[in-house]
Amino acid sequence: MAIKNIEALKISGKKVLMRVDFNVPIKDGVITDDTRIRAALPSINYVLKNGGKAILISHLGRIKSEDDKKTKSLKPVAVKLSEHLGKEVKFVPFTRGAEVEKAVSELKDGELMMIENTRFEDYADGQEVKKESKCDEELGKYWASLGDVFINDAFGTAHRKHASNVGISQHIESAAGFLLDKEIKFIGGVVDNPQKPLIAILGGAKVSDKIGVIESLIDKADKIIIGGGMMFTFLKAMGKNIGKSLLEEDKLDLAKSLMDKAKSKGVELILPVDTIAAKEFKNDTEFRTVSCDEMANDEMGLDIGEASIKLFTEKLAGAKTVVWNGPMGVFEMENYAQGTIGVCKAIASLDAITIIGGGDSAAAAEQLGFADKFSHISTGGGASLEYLEGKVLPGIAALDK
Ligand code: ADP
Ligand code: MG
């Protein structure tokens, strides 16, 4: 796919409509984590420095009632953004209409404004109308009419066909912002044209969340390493006793067929050889390292063991691309974080393109102090997974003209 990027646009003197992802957590009117606001700064600064007039749009949460509108205004985000930029951010508390148009017409080069939460368009006159979320034709066209060019920098909603991404792209010249561009380069690179050998490390809670990713990666990867809660469904499918470990009974056949498929494609599928097992799902309890062949009926595996870390580290050697999705164990509890730390260390030491594609995996890398050791940490959650599955993301496809 040939996607135009922000640097290919003429910005100076133009009204630049920018779809950003300001879907930040807000508690009692206070933003508790402004990562997403900071992440949008490079694209915003680029437009302002190049003499564009920036019109920012974003969604925030879901709007299913009038009450939702009271707690999900983007006003606090405009205030926070203004602090980061050291510059006034004109906030218009509407999603369309005369006030919006007036503010746009008054914008000078290098200035910026923001309109209200795009999802306010999902609820009107006492009912859910989903104009934003169902990509209402007229709404997309209206927003497009506010700008000369459009920059989409919201990867988190790229897997959705909404008026504020796809709808607008259909009407004016569009390009990817820096954030979206990076996701396309890295995640898109894994899917379309990875540097080989490509090794995938998959973990996390459930097989069922990752079926699409595993299936897609079996066609592309040279090796697939499996850890986390999902490893036990595979181990059980191999006939091993997994005690009280996390099991998806209805995915046993699938696990078997995935293992067969990997074999027939010549993809090495690597499972842990030992686990950290406890009798209860908590940190402060007795635990032991045990071989995956010798688990007792009353214990559950909560992390991979040291022999598995060693095995995974050896298998990772020589990789040119590594994509990691899903922690190796219950990393939120100190006693079961070693597996995830071990894998982070192994990845960090590689001379390879290294990518994290998952919300909890990213949080783990952050919490354990490895975030800066990766080439790319995807910001998407659902969008990252769907992109890794090889699906076409509507928000990105709409930029391809
Ligand atoms: P991501 O968000 O990166 O895609 P997931 O949401 O699939 O990852 O999984 C993350 C969760 O998996 C974490 O909360 C972690 O505690 C849990 N997990 C990892 N290993 C195990 C295990 N052995 N048993 C139970 N839960 C596990
Ligand atoms: Mg998760």
Side-chain angles (χ1 to χ4, degrees):
M1 239 194 286
I3 304 289
K4 197 183 283 183
N5 118 340
I6 184 169
E7 287 166 320
L9 289 179
K10 271 197 72 169
I11 301 283
S12 178
K14 302 271 188 197
K15 287 176 283 178
V16 184
L17 191 61
M18 302 182 75
R19 174 57 160 105
V20 289
D21 181 2
F22 283 163
N23 185 28
V24 294
I26 295 186
K27 205 168 173 258
D28 304 322
V30 178
I31 297 166
T32 53
D33 179 356
D34 70 351
T35 309
R36 286 184 167 150
I37 299 176
R38 286 184 281 114
L41 294 176
S43 291
I44 297 171
N45 276 321
Y46 178 87
V47 168
L48 300 179
K49 285 207 179 94
N50 284 282
K53 313 173 209 288
I55 305 150
L56 268 44
I57 62 172
S58 173
H59 79 286
L60 175 63
R62 295 218 169 108
I63 305 294
K64 292 165 173 281
S65 67
E66 270 320 309
D67 266 357
D68 282 341
K69 295 188 180 177
K70 290 182 196 137
T71 53
K72 286 168 184 159
S73 167
L74 277 172
K75 178 106 197 272
V77 175
V79 173
K80 186 56 120 189
L81 176 64
S82 173
E83 283 169 29
H84 280 298
L85 291 169
K87 208 177 176 92
E88 192 202 343
V89 179
K90 164 109 183 129
F91 179 74
V92 184
F94 300 98
T95 49
R96 57 167 124 186
E99 290 208 35
V100 170
E101 290 148 34
K102 181 164 176 281
V104 171
S105 71
E106 287 169 0
L107 268 184
K108 296 197 183 70
D109 294 354
E111 289 185 350
L112 79 163
M113 62 173 278
M114 219 168 117
I115 66 170
E116 188 52 282
N117 184 352
T118 54
R119 288 200 184 155
F120 276 29
E121 292 282 349
D122 280 350
Y123 193 90
D125 304 324
Q127 58 179 333
E128 274 196 83
V129 290
K130 299 206 166 175
K131 289 200 166 177
E132 155 74 325
S133 298
K134 289 207 168 140
C135 197
D136 179 77
E137 167 69 26
E138 178 249 351
L139 181 59
K141 198 168 173 181
Y142 172 78
W143 279 332
S145 76
L146 299 175
D148 300 313
V149 291
F150 176 56
I151 290 169
N152 186 358
D153 214 13
F155 178 65
T157 46
H159 59 319
R160 307 273 182 238
K161 183 184 172 195
H162 287 174
S164 65
N165 57 359
V166 175
I168 296 170
S169 288
Q170 277 157 357
H171 298 283
I172 48 174
E173 185 182 8
S174 306
F178 290 118
L179 261 187
L180 184 59
D181 198 49
K182 198 167 175 239
E183 298 281 2
I184 294 170
K185 285 214 174 86
F186 283 101
I187 307 260
V190 167
V191 177
D192 296 333
N193 186 24
Q195 282 196 46
K196 306 271 260 172
L198 164 65
I199 303 183
I201 309 175
L202 300 169
K206 295 197 275 169
V207 187
S208 48
D209 292 340
K210 308 283 165 75
I211 297 168
V213 177
I214 303 177
E215 281 181 335
S216 155
L217 290 173
I218 278 185
D219 289 328
K220 301 182 176 84
D222 298 281
K223 297 178 193 174
I224 296 181
I225 294 172
I226 292 183
M230 71 159 84
M231 72 195 216
F232 296 103
T233 300
F234 284 87
L235 292 171
K236 174 92 178 176
M238 291 166 73
K240 296 187 195 287
N241 177 24
I242 59 165
K244 295 191 295 176
S245 304
L246 204 61
L247 168 67
E248 284 171 280
E249 197 99 50
D250 61 335
K251 293 291 174 290
L252 283 170
D253 288 340
L254 176 85
K256 271 196 207 102
S257 77
L258 287 171
M259 288 189 279
D260 290 343
K261 196 172 168 194
K263 204 169 192 178
S264 73
K265 293 207 169 233
V267 176
E268 194 182 352
L269 200 139
I270 301 139
L271 284 159
V273 289
D274 60 351
T275 179
I276 309 291
K279 291 193 173 141
E280 296 166 281
F281 188 82
K282 58 182 197 190
N283 190 59
D284 298 316
T285 186
E286 247 178 75
F287 58 87
R288 65 165 185 152
T289 303
V290 56
S291 153
C292 291
D293 291 313
E294 289 162 13
M295 287 191 75
N297 291 336
D298 62 348
E299 59 186 3
M300 60 184 97
L302 297 175
D303 195 7
I304 58 171
E306 223 169 286
S308 305
I309 298 173
K310 189 163 171 278
L311 172 70
F312 290 0
T313 305
E314 284 162 11
K315 295 288 182 185
L316 279 166
K320 279 293 157 215
T321 309
V322 176
V323 53
W324 172 39
N325 179 288
M328 294 293 101
V330 185
F331 73 95
E332 299 93 334
M333 300 183 195
E334 204 188 338
N335 289 333
Y336 316 115
Q338 288 308 315
T340 304
I341 293 175
V343 163
C344 277
K345 277 190 186 150
I347 299 175
S349 72
L350 295 170
D351 180 17
I353 295 167
T354 56
I355 299 161
I356 299 182
D360 288 295
S361 324
E366 200 88 47
Q367 188 185 314
L368 304 171
F370 288 91
D372 61 343
K373 299 282 192 287
F374 288 82
S375 312
H376 179 61
I377 301 184
S378 182
T379 54
S384 315
L385 276 184
E386 289 196 21
Y387 206 9
L388 275 177
E389 284 172 26
K391 288 190 186 159
V392 171
L393 305 195
I396 293 174
L399 299 174
D400 187 27
K401 292 240 183 69

